[in-house]
Amino acid sequence: MSTAGALGKDEPQRSRHRIKALSPQLVNQIAAGEIIERPASILKELLENSLDAGATRIRVEAENGGVKRLRVSDNGQGILKEDLTLAMSRHATSKLEVIEDLDKVATLGFRGEALPSIASVTRMTLQSRTDDSDQGWEITSEGDNRTSEPRPVALPQGTSIEVRDLFYNLPARRKFLRTDQTEQGHLVQVIRRMALARFDVAFEFHYNGRAVMHLLPVASQDDARIAAVCGQQMADNSLKFDESGGGMNVRGWVSLPGFSRSQRDMQYFFVNGRLITDKTVSHALRQAYQDVLFHGRHPAYVIYLEMDPAGVDVNVHPSKREVRFRDSRAVHNFVYHAIHKQLSGSAGEHGSITVMHDAVSGDSRSGAATYRPGAQQGIPLSSPVRQQLQSYRALHGSIADSAQQGVAVGDEEVPPLGYAVAQLHGIYILAENKTGLVMVDMHAAHERITYEAMKESLSSKTGNGIPTQSLLVPVTLRVSDAEQDAWERNQGVFEGVGLIMDRMDEKVLVVREVPEMLRNSDVPQLVRDVLSDLLEHGVSDRVDETINEVLSTMACHGSVRANRSLTLEEMNALLRDMERTERSGQCNHGRPTWIQFGIGEMDSWFKRGQ
Ligand code: ADP
Ligand code: MG
């Protein structure tokens, strides 16, 4: 970065060692270094400002990756003519007055740094008109932060900010910009995030003169925005949920295990409307999915957590992407349990969950609708996946309901997965139930049942304690002060999971016994992972997770392989086991174990009754 602004060339040599205040220009450029990496970072700040100003329609225009030109126009409340110049100066904000305000920041911005930082690395034009003014005003600024006097300009109510030639005065930074196409991709990603944060706002994106995105405003829980931003597949393959407790609310969409992704590219987590990345939260989600996702696959989700703003510090990083939770353990538990509950399918019991595609196209022959009272009706079924989703919910709902009431749901006592009628190619079981035809992948289903049974017997056999085995050669490991401290404070936790340890020396721990199932695993690594979980989140499920991984492998090997013929009795027994087993909707590897075809859908294959 050039320092020409701070140390003029005309300064005598000796002033090199004198202390001088940085010029405002340099201060802004340094701040810009923290928040402005590329055009997309500017777009993020401008969109946040538009939303803070109460805009309901936002139009974005960009040329050449946004490097050459980027413009954001909104219909928000606008800026007074007298404030235009101030808005461009450092630490000037309308959103915060006293330090206490920081505890309850409800706006996306509050640091008053964005506009001056952007202005210091671009050529910027700011136009605005408030609702009580009969015309708009415009000021311009070139990188040196010399802003022009306001000039009148024709403009509807709102604000329009245009920046050109990003980093024109910082060639070194400019070199780090990628191809236009890559930068455009980042711009789109920013618009997507904002669009997920605010369903009620319309977004338009014009790139190189062409309209490339137009999102209409919708109600806050409407799948249409999810479909528009994340794709119809995500909308079709996710569970919509809404849970409250402990002063928090969490709602949103989580992908069904069958719809996992190879990358973490479709994971959005908002806290009080702000998109964040947070280790506690990602840990909670990873854990919620770990039983149902194959290793190396990632879930997709759009999740909104609402909580008391006083419980979360947003002033942690200039880009405001990170937050600090006052009680991260409570947040961890709340998020984990809410999501885990969706995935294990027992949420219906509490009646607080809304099921996304639960309607059964008004088909009165289908029993599924009766399982889930209050579900929306009338969404036409289009894909088998959607059907599978419904059946999945319906089955779990029905198990939950009948367990609660002690009687079977519906007038006939047909079990949810029905009765076996045949086996196909030694791989699939065909069964008839009230809704129509059920197709079961024998191997996957058996694997899931075995896995859950092994887990169950492990926890019941051992009660509290997991069977342990003494190590012939105890493992010693050197730990930090903090780690030693964490161990001392949590000895009960370690014993509870079968890790029997002592302190051998100052900062040296020795592991004497480990859970039997983990005798062949990397013990020091496991202990370290547990310690770091404890330090970071206050809790650790690492040992359970590892045991489950081992169980899952064992289950896979112990399960019925394909190509074995089963008798009808055996098939029916498998179906009944599936109904009793938690999460039998998918195998341990995240593949579905069964699919439902409704009679209505089959009729439509043959164009019956049309
Ligand atoms: P911050 O958002 O942290 O307050 P900014 O530098 O981003 O700081 O913006 C400075 C001020 O300019 C804001 O506090 C707001 O009053 C005003 N402002 C910026 N953009 C807009 C806009 N699109 N509509 C209305 N006011 C705006
Ligand atoms: Mg701002």
Side-chain angles (χ1 to χ4, degrees), residues 45-46 49-50 52-53 74 77-79 87 92-95 109-116 159 161:
E45 294 294 335
L46 296 182
N49 282 345
S50 295
D52 282 347
D74 67 48
Q77 63 181 17
I79 306 173
T93 177
S94 54
K95 301 167 193 174
F110 54 81
R111 298 171 61 105
E113 309 188 299
L115 293 189
T159 303
I161 298 183

Side-chain angles (χ1 to χ4, degrees), residues 485-554:
D485 207 44
W487 176 71
E488 257 152 31
R489 275 183 289 115
N490 294 286
Q491 288 192 37
V493 174
F494 281 88
E495 272 160 37
V497 298
L499 286 170
I500 312 298
M501 302 166 45
D502 282 321
R503 208 186 81 172
M504 201 161 86
D505 206 343
E506 198 53 33
K507 291 194 254 175
V508 180
L509 299 177
V510 51
V511 187
R512 302 195 185 282
E513 286 177 38
V514 298
E516 203 178 298
M517 308 220 41
L518 300 183
R519 59 181 180 272
N520 295 324
S521 56
D522 184 347
V523 174
Q525 188 57 48
L526 182 66
V527 172
R528 280 190 201 287
D529 287 348
V530 174
L531 284 170
S532 85
D533 283 350
L534 287 170
L535 285 170
E536 191 140 344
H537 314 296
V539 285
S540 178
D541 296 283
R542 197 64 69 152
V543 176
D544 273 358
E545 269 175 36
T546 318
I547 288 180
N548 288 345
E549 255 168 47
V550 175
L551 284 183
S552 156
T553 317
M554 286 169 44

Side-chain angles (χ1 to χ4, degrees), residues 386-446:
R386 192 177 282 209
Q387 186 91 9
Q388 179 204 336
L389 171 65
Q390 281 168 10
S391 329
Y392 171 76
R393 302 301 320 190
L395 172 67
H396 284 296
S398 76
I399 292 172
D401 290 351
S402 48
Q404 242 174 356
Q405 301 155 10
V407 290
V409 182
D411 31 62
E412 295 160 59
E413 304 236 341
V414 182
L417 287 179
Y419 295 112
V421 289
Q423 190 180 7
L424 207 63
H425 291 286
I427 300 174
Y428 301 106
I429 294 172
L430 304 184
E432 180 183 342
N433 69 353
K434 267 167 76 180
T435 318
L437 173 72
V438 174
M439 220 171 138
V440 177
D441 178 335
M442 272 164 40
H443 171 67
H446 195 253

Side-chain angles (χ1 to χ4, degrees), residues 237-241 252-254 256 342 356 389 392-393:
N237 291 285
S238 51
L239 300 165
K240 179 152 94 176
F241 70 100
W253 288 260
V254 288
L256 283 167
Q342 311 315 313
M356 185 153 61
L389 171 65
Y392 171 76
R393 302 301 320 190

Side-chain angles (χ1 to χ4, degrees), residues 235-369:
D236 285 347
N237 291 285
S238 51
L239 300 165
K240 179 152 94 176
F241 70 100
D242 191 334
E243 295 277 338
S244 297
M248 291 180 270
N249 173 268
V250 64
R251 60 178 186 83
W253 288 260
V254 288
S255 62
L256 283 167
F259 182 65
S260 64
R261 299 179 65 82
S262 62
Q263 292 181 12
R264 294 190 185 86
D265 58 346
M266 218 183 265
Q267 304 187 339
Y268 302 92
F269 196 95
F270 297 85
V271 176
N272 295 342
R274 186 188 302 279
L275 182 79
I276 58 135
T277 52
D278 177 77
K279 280 192 193 151
T280 303
V281 165
S282 5
H283 182 267
L285 282 155
R286 224 180 329 116
Q287 202 182 320
Y289 269 97
Q290 66 128 7
D291 248 8
V292 291
L293 268 198
F294 191 51
H295 200 67
R297 302 289 302 174
H298 304 285
Y301 50 77
V302 181
I303 299 176
Y304 304 86
L305 176 68
E306 300 291 335
M307 59 185 293
D308 181 357
V312 48
D313 187 355
V314 291
N315 188 27
V316 178
H317 191 268
S319 74
K320 298 164 290 181
R321 258 318 273 283
E322 283 164 34
V323 295
R324 201 174 293 130
F325 293 110
R326 221 137 278 182
D327 187 351
S328 63
R329 186 191 294 217
V331 171
H332 184 281
N333 285 347
F334 180 60
V335 171
Y336 165 74
H337 284 295
I339 310 301
H340 184 256
K341 200 160 118 184
Q342 311 315 313
L343 297 173
S344 58
S346 56
E349 289 160 72
H350 303 285
S352 55
I353 175 173
T354 351
V355 179
M356 185 153 61
H357 295 298
D358 220 14
V360 189
S361 64
D363 182 353
S364 58
R365 269 172 298 181
S366 152

Side-chain angles (χ1 to χ4, degrees), residues 462-478:
T462 58
N464 194 16
I466 290 170
T468 61
Q469 180 164 23
S470 312
L471 294 171
L472 284 178
V473 186
V475 173
T476 55
L477 70 166
R478 199 158 273 288

